[in-house]
Amino acid sequence: MRRSKLNILLVAILVIVLVLWLAVPFGMALLWSLVDPSKAWSYPDLLPQKLSFVRWTEMWETTNLALAMGHSYTLAPIVAVCTLILAAPTAYAFARLDFHGKTAAQMLSLLPLVVPEFVTALFFTSLLYKLGIYAKFPAIVLGHIVLFLPYAIRILTVSFAQVRQDLIDAARDLGASPWARFSSAFLPVLKPGILAALIIVFIQSIEEFAISFVVGSPDFTTIPTILYSYLGDNFIRPNAAVVSLILVVPNIILLLIFERLLKSNGAVTVGGKG
Amino acid sequence: MARLEIREVSKTYPNGFRALENVSIDVKSGEFLTLLGPSGCGKTTLLKAIAGFHPVSSGKFLIDGKDVTTDSPERRDTAMCFQSYALFPHMTVAENILFGPRQNRLSKSECDVRLADSLRQVDLEAHSDKLPTALSGGQQQRVGLARAMAMRPGVILFDEPLSNLDAKLRHQVRFEMRALQAELGFTAIYVTHDQAEALAMSDRIAVMKAGRIEQIAPPSDIYDRPANRFVADFIGAANIISAEFMATDTANMWSARTEIGTFKIASDENLTGKKRYICWRPESAEIVENAPTNTENTFTAKVVTQAYQGNVTDIVMRPVTDGSNDTVSIQTRKPETIRAELSIRLAPDAFSVLEDV
Amino acid sequence: MRAYSPSNWKHTGVVLLCLLPGLGLIILLIGTVISMAVAQSVGYFNFSGPSEFSLIYWQKQLASPFLHRSVLYSAKISLLSSLISVGLAYMFAMWLRRPFPGSTMLGGLLKAPMMVPGLVAAFLLLNVIAFHGFVNEFLLWTNIISKPLRMQNDSFGTAVIFLQVWKQMPFALLVLIGPVQSIHNEIFDAARDLGASAWTRFRKIVLPLTLTAMQAALILVFIRAAGDFSFQVIVGPREVSSMAQYMYTVQRLYGEWNEAAVVAVVLMTMSLTGALLLAAVSQFLVTGRRR
């Protein structure tokens, strides 16, 4: 009884802290992005004197933000699909095949997470120079794929492991063709995993900074590299606020859709697991 | 060892569910008391309340006369044997047993004495350096008991400790635990839903249902003199019928009319003119060969179906009386012929008189 | 060992074919990248001048006070970030061990920072602590101070550690919550029953039983924090560089590929040995002194 009351209090405090933690910073970002350039928001004003969408239109028209967004949103789906296709066979082997050195192989698949991203980015660039490859778009696609393969492999391994052998056997016993076997025994269980891998990789690719920045500089921009250019030494707060919101808001919407999809797919998974 | 008094303990959950209602039990020092009942009857709740894990809504617990109701489990003079054994998987048998004494900051020599004693008592000296996972289920159960005993508690609480063992081992451990308790004389509160276990091990059994105690008595009384239909039905097999009592015949001997005939029933109660449920156990039925009709305390019934068990045979019969479609169960040594008509005699003291109809 | 029959060879072939596109690509690329860094650090694959074995780049960098400072600085940031993140993650994991009203929402909120990109997180923190940030505004408004405080780019790196914890704690929580929840309730009850306090239960039961997960979380956070570039550039101290920042500066500003390679090798070595050392120390602390 006492414990539960204490919990309610603690939860309430934490929710308030998190609201301050998330809502206040994002609210301020939103305010900053709406500051009208004609009336600067500076000490001692508590709130901006004038709000407008001027910054947004200005950013869109005068900077290469549109180009960067185009880059990011072409990169991400290509990376997501390629990563998924390349990860699937390895995940299948990890989940359903028996072989010597499986643990070692699984550890090795985490390699991209262990090497610092900037080291990967820098010496990947050096490798590209040595090979005389100057096409930045495919180079970044390759870099992203390798960087995010561990996530996709991990997610799909769990999915493949959930496929029940008795269902596959039953399908074979009933004379199902390989495709029928795949679509009846594998696909229903794999679907949430495939979806999860696609969305996680998509979001990661949109957010990725190190490779896009090092390989892409100076001319190839993505949303995070644009954001970076407005932070740091050359700090332009309203512009950074605009880019931050452009970077974050679609991701949050995507994650909400993803949660919704996973929930409605839950029934399929449970049915599949029996 | 210690005496435990449970005084008018009630527990109501915030959602209004009454897990315990006004439970009072006096457990004597060195007694083996079993809390028996179907799942959800509140027996585990009561046990955890005695240990101090669940605060109660009202009532008191006294150990050797001292009120411990508000003491936390850490400070209460009780030790618990868990259903899952709850052995610490990363500690050896010896470390598990020493955990309690060390937490209580006992001296090294005292710890050693307790470890040696506990290991000897449960006969696990050879396994003291093993991890629990290297032991069999029965051995793990004994480590749990040894760990509890190393605390030298006033009361040891058992939460269905044998339910994870296979049937054969369960039989064996039942004997071992009873012998150990008799030898060391600890006070034990034992929770189970297995009536055979309760009958075999206890000094007294408290039968519980929906948070209340239905009957509390020694095993033989629980079995032979159940207080009501629930107890009669929950423990062993019972034939329960309603009976209308007439005047006494002789002292403590009553005539009662039932759907299967009129019987003489022995009882100390004054039952004149009352309508009560009565019950009798299948094994108390005697088959009377070539009985003349209307022999006292006898009725005729037809064999419906039977199950041969080896040592006994369970027979389901339909009494040959007008209007009744109910069946009765009896137990005999040998199987009978299906559809045979048999005369069955029930002795006057074979009946227990239960509650009003 | 099983005997090698034709079907076993076939099986091995299938396994290799399966591993090739995923694991094969990872090993090929990351392996080449690491080899590239190592080779360039000793003078091979030069972009200018002859490619030949030389230790001059190592001599130059190992003598550089900047490298020393950034190794120490990055190690400090990583150590503090991983300890604080894992400590907080344990706290939340213990709290969320048993579900209670609101625990699902709480879990979701705690994981929210994982979905916010690091650069955005840094920007948001800037908004809060900057000259014109929320904290300063608030303190000015309440007349506690009369002039804004300068909080970003503090020389210790507090802001960087704060951001690392903000970003990494959810990962540590994700790694820890499963193992913590898988400890049977009766184990906790048994420990309580035997007289163990809340702290003892944590120390003697939870820590040893979740040791592997804790080490994984420590390693993960340490390595991620050691390779940090963006937090450092945006809110980190001006007078010292993180290793990734230093490596990038050496390469971009001075065009010294070989020396940058030296820094890269030092960075990889530092993050790996640091992480493993941390895991070893935590193992010793948890299991080493049982009594």
Side-chain angles (χ1 to χ4, degrees):
Chain A
M1 207 48 207
R2 258 200 343 253
R3 186 180 148 80
S4 69
K5 264 189 192 144
L6 182 73
N7 257 336
I8 290 169
L9 187 74
L10 281 171
V11 171
I13 291 170
L14 203 79
V15 167
I16 293 168
V17 168
L18 280 172
V19 163
L20 283 175
W21 191 260
L22 292 169
V24 168
F26 273 107
M28 288 196 57
L30 189 66
L31 272 183
W32 269 110
S33 78
L34 295 173
V35 170
D36 193 271
S38 64
K39 288 264 169 66
W41 181 16
S42 62
Y43 179 75
D45 307 334
L46 273 181
L47 285 170
Q49 293 182 326
K50 194 177 169 199
L51 296 179
S52 73
F53 279 103
V54 172
R55 296 278 184 182
W56 288 76
T57 47
E58 219 179 63
M59 281 288 286
W60 190 257
E61 282 158 7
T62 60
T63 69
N64 52 2
L65 179 63
L67 187 69
M69 279 177 74
H71 284 156
S72 281
Y73 281 95
T74 17
L75 260 176
I78 294 174
V79 169
V81 172
C82 292
T83 308
L84 183 82
I85 293 169
L86 292 171
T90 300
Y92 176 81
F94 283 171
R96 305 201 71 84
L97 299 180
D98 243 346
F99 55 93
H100 290 295
K102 190 155 142 182
T103 323
Q106 279 176 316
M107 295 288 274
L108 276 177
S109 74
L110 298 177
L111 213 51
L113 303 182
V114 178
V115 181
E117 280 180 13
F118 255 77
V119 173
T120 310
L122 199 61
F123 290 89
F124 180 50
T125 317
S126 133
L127 179 68
L128 293 171
Y129 287 173
K130 274 286 157 202
L131 297 174
I133 300 168
Y134 296 98
K136 286 183 171 165
F137 187 84
I140 294 177
V141 168
L142 180 63
H144 279 194
I145 288 175
V146 171
L147 217 51
F148 306 138
L149 264 174
Y151 298 99
I153 291 176
R154 181 84 206 111
I155 294 168
L156 290 179
T157 304
V158 173
S159 288
F160 270 116
Q162 280 175 348
V163 178
R164 282 170 38 169
Q165 189 60 40
D166 56 352
L167 277 184
I168 305 169
D169 293 345
R172 288 182 77 163
D173 195 43
L174 297 169
S177 65
W179 168 248
R181 245 183 277 160
F182 177 76
S183 63
S184 63
F186 281 90
L187 207 55
V189 187
L190 290 184
K191 239 190 223 160
I194 292 175
L195 204 68
L198 279 177
I199 292 187
I200 298 278
V201 174
F202 185 94
I203 291 176
Q204 294 259 19
S205 169
I206 293 275
E207 295 177 6
E208 205 280 335
F209 173 65
I211 289 196
S212 312
F213 177 62
V214 178
V215 177
S217 72
D219 50 327
F220 190 92
T221 53
T222 62
I223 306 176
T225 58
I226 283 259
L227 175 57
Y228 177 76
S229 68
Y230 293 124
L231 297 171
D233 295 331
N234 180 23
F235 186 36
I236 308 172
R237 197 197 301 264
N239 292 5
V242 170
V243 185
S244 288
L245 290 172
I246 287 177
L247 181 54
V248 147
V249 173
N251 283 0
I252 288 174
I253 293 167
L254 211 59
L255 272 166
L256 290 178
I257 296 171
F258 169 60
E259 294 253 308
R260 194 54 60 79
L261 280 175
L262 271 197
K263 251 176 217 150
S264 62
N265 258 322
V268 178
T269 332
V270 173
K273 281 157 86 181
Chain B
M1 66 191 97
R3 171 161 168 249
L4 170 72
E5 290 162 76
I6 303 168
R7 284 208 195 140
E8 290 166 3
V9 164
S10 293
K11 175 160 179 78
T12 310
Y13 281 100
N15 63 10
F17 176 71
R18 308 188 64 136
L20 294 173
E21 281 192 63
N22 217 13
V23 173
S24 295
I25 311 175
D26 253 0
V27 189
K28 289 186 276 295
S29 180
E31 186 178 8
F32 196 115
L33 177 92
T34 298
L35 303 176
L36 175 68
S39 57
C41 72
K43 56 188 192 298
T44 301
T45 310
L46 178 59
L47 194 78
K48 297 233 161 146
I50 297 170
F53 291 116
H54 293 336
V56 292
S57 314
S58 64
K60 276 183 183 171
F61 296 108
L62 287 83
I63 294 178
D64 275 341
K66 187 176 148 266
D67 188 346
V68 297
T69 318
T70 52
D71 284 1
S72 63
E74 295 93 313
R75 298 188 45 222
R76 251 182 233 201
D77 187 21
T78 58
M80 191 142 168
C81 286
F82 292 86
Q83 186 171 14
S84 64
Y85 316 136
L87 302 179
F88 306 125
H90 56 295
M91 299 182 191
T92 63
V93 169
E95 285 168 332
N96 262 285
I97 294 173
L98 284 171
F99 188 88
R102 283 179 181 170
Q103 287 314 310
N104 288 293
R105 312 211 179 282
L106 298 181
S107 67
K108 174 93 173 63
S109 56
E110 179 63 17
C111 283
D112 290 346
V113 169
R114 293 204 181 182
L115 174 64
D117 282 355
S118 293
L119 282 172
R120 186 173 39 74
Q121 281 155 2
V122 298
D123 195 19
L124 282 170
E125 285 119 319
H127 304 282
S128 70
D129 290 330
K130 288 185 186 164
L131 286 176
T133 42
L135 302 180
S136 70
Q139 287 169 330
Q140 291 185 25
Q141 195 272 327
R142 270 149 53 203
V143 176
L145 179 58
R147 187 176 67 179
M149 286 192 307
M151 295 291 286
R152 304 270 161 91
V155 184
I156 300 189
L157 308 169
F158 295 90
D159 184 13
E160 310 214 17
L162 307 187
S163 62
N164 287 331
L165 301 178
D166 63 56
K168 205 154 190 178
L169 197 58
R170 202 153 54 213
H171 270 277
Q172 187 198 328
V173 175
R174 218 184 263 173
F175 282 111
E176 284 174 7
M177 270 182 65
R178 186 64 172 129
L180 205 60
Q181 193 261 341
E183 183 196 328
L184 302 173
F186 55 80
T187 309
I189 315 280
Y190 190 98
V191 159
T192 183
H193 63 269
D194 181 338
Q195 37 122 344
E197 213 166 282
L199 292 172
M201 299 176 76
S202 327
D203 291 321
R204 277 195 300 164
I205 299 174
V207 182
M208 293 183 70
K209 178 195 168 192
R212 291 172 194 276
I213 292 188
E214 295 285 316
Q215 186 176 7
I216 174 158
S220 60
D221 280 6
I222 294 275
Y223 189 78
D224 292 332
R225 295 280 168 260
N228 53 39
R229 281 185 297 163
F230 175 78
V231 176
D233 201 39
F234 190 73
I235 307 209
N239 293 294
I240 300 169
I241 48 178
S242 58
E244 235 174 296
F245 286 87
M246 292 165 293
T248 55
D249 280 15
T250 53
N252 300 335
M253 193 62 82
W254 306 82
S255 268
R257 197 166 38 225
T258 74
E259 341 181 273
I260 58 170
T262 303
F263 294 92
K264 285 215 176 341
I265 292 171
S267 171
D268 299 338
E269 272 183 271
N270 180 3
L271 294 162
T272 315
K274 294 210 168 127
K275 251 192 117 172
R276 302 281 282 269
Y277 286 106
I278 57 170
C279 91
W280 51 279
R281 299 290 182 191
E283 68 274 14
S284 61
E286 284 170 62
I287 295 173
V288 194
E289 306 283 339
N290 308 318
T293 45
N294 289 332
T295 313
E296 199 164 67
N297 273 25
T298 307
F299 69 99
T300 313
K302 225 176 185 172
V303 176
V304 178
T305 176
Q306 57 188 353
Y308 178 60
Q309 311 269 1
N311 53 346
V312 291
T313 309
D314 289 323
I315 305 180
V316 176
M317 308 192 78
R318 178 163 292 131
V320 193
T321 38
D322 289 346
S324 166
N325 245 341
D326 298 338
T327 56
V328 296
S329 306
I330 68 162
Q331 212 167 50
T332 61
R333 174 71 187 87
K334 295 273 179 231
E336 297 287 342
T337 323
I338 297 278
R339 279 200 221 67
E341 270 191 24
L342 304 173
S343 286
I344 291 159
R345 196 184 108 80
L346 296 167
D349 61 358
F351 293 96
S352 302
V353 180
L354 312 175
E355 72 269 38
D356 286 332
V357 172
Chain C
M1 285 301 282
R2 57 189 125 135
Y4 269 84
S5 62
S7 78
N8 265 330
W9 284 114
K10 199 179 144 200
H11 177 79
T12 312
V14 169
V15 168
L16 284 178
L17 265 177
C18 280
L19 294 183
L20 208 59
L23 186 61
L25 187 63
I26 288 174
I27 293 174
L28 179 73
L29 197 100
I30 302 291
T32 321
V33 161
I34 295 175
S35 321
M36 194 78 192
V38 174
Q40 286 196 323
S41 76
V42 290
Y44 293 110
F45 296 114
N46 247 338
F47 285 104
S48 55
S51 286
E52 58 183 20
F53 182 81
S54 156
L55 286 176
I56 179 127
Y57 311 108
W58 277 92
Q59 283 161 1
K60 267 196 202 160
Q61 274 306 319
L62 289 183
S64 154
F66 295 113
L67 182 72
H68 286 205
R69 288 187 61 196
S70 49
V71 169
L72 288 179
Y73 171 76
S74 280
K76 175 187 81 178
I77 297 282
S78 309
L79 183 68
L80 289 175
S81 305
S82 53
L83 291 180
I84 298 171
S85 300
V86 172
L88 282 175
Y90 259 122
M91 222 178 69
F92 285 117
M94 290 297 287
W95 189 20
L96 295 172
R97 195 170 66 80
R98 271 182 278 185
F100 53 86
S103 61
T104 327
M105 187 185 69
L106 192 67
L109 278 175
L110 284 173
K111 277 185 251 153
M114 280 202 298
M115 294 148 202
V116 180
L119 285 171
V120 175
F123 171 65
L124 293 180
L125 181 71
L126 269 189
N127 276 343
V128 174
I129 64 167
F131 214 58
H132 206 75
F134 180 76
V135 174
N136 271 329
E137 293 269 344
F138 183 79
L139 292 176
L140 286 172
W141 180 60
T142 51
N143 284 324
I144 292 172
I145 52 171
S146 55
K147 265 192 167 174
L149 300 170
R150 183 172 175 82
M151 285 180 286
Q152 73 190 81
N153 310 116
D154 68 295
S155 61
F156 184 78
T158 319
V160 177
I161 294 173
F162 180 87
L163 279 175
Q164 287 292 357
V165 171
W166 190 80
K167 185 86 179 145
Q168 313 289 4
M169 195 283 288
F171 280 102
L173 180 62
L174 214 59
V175 174
L176 284 175
I177 189 122
V180 167
Q181 280 176 337
S182 73
I183 302 175
H184 202 296
N185 265 337
E186 287 200 338
I187 298 259
F188 285 95
D189 282 352
R192 267 192 94 179
D193 197 43
L194 296 168
S197 63
W199 169 246
T200 315
R201 293 199 290 275
F202 180 70
R203 233 324 254 119
K204 297 261 169 112
I205 310 291
V206 178
L207 279 186
L209 286 178
T210 56
L211 179 64
T212 326
M214 175 179 76
Q215 289 173 318
L218 283 174
I219 291 177
L220 192 79
V221 178
F222 189 93
I223 289 179
R224 279 161 169 264
D228 169 55
F229 175 85
S230 33
F231 289 165
Q232 169 64 24
V233 172
I234 296 162
V235 295
R238 288 276 179 261
E239 56 273 22
V240 59
S241 301
S242 79
M243 293 201 68
Q245 186 187 19
Y246 180 61
M247 174 182 76
Y248 189 73
T249 318
V250 168
Q251 194 275 313
R252 278 295 140 100
L253 242 56
Y254 308 113
E256 287 289 351
W257 274 104
N258 307 88
E259 286 182 39
V262 172
V263 182
V265 174
V266 173
L267 168 55
M268 285 190 282
T269 317
M270 188 280 276
S271 70
L272 214 59
T273 46
L276 294 179
L277 215 63
L278 199 55
V281 169
S282 60
Q283 171 125 25
F284 173 75
L285 286 180
V286 170
T287 61
R289 20 163 249 224
R290 271 268 167 81
R291 269 211 75 167

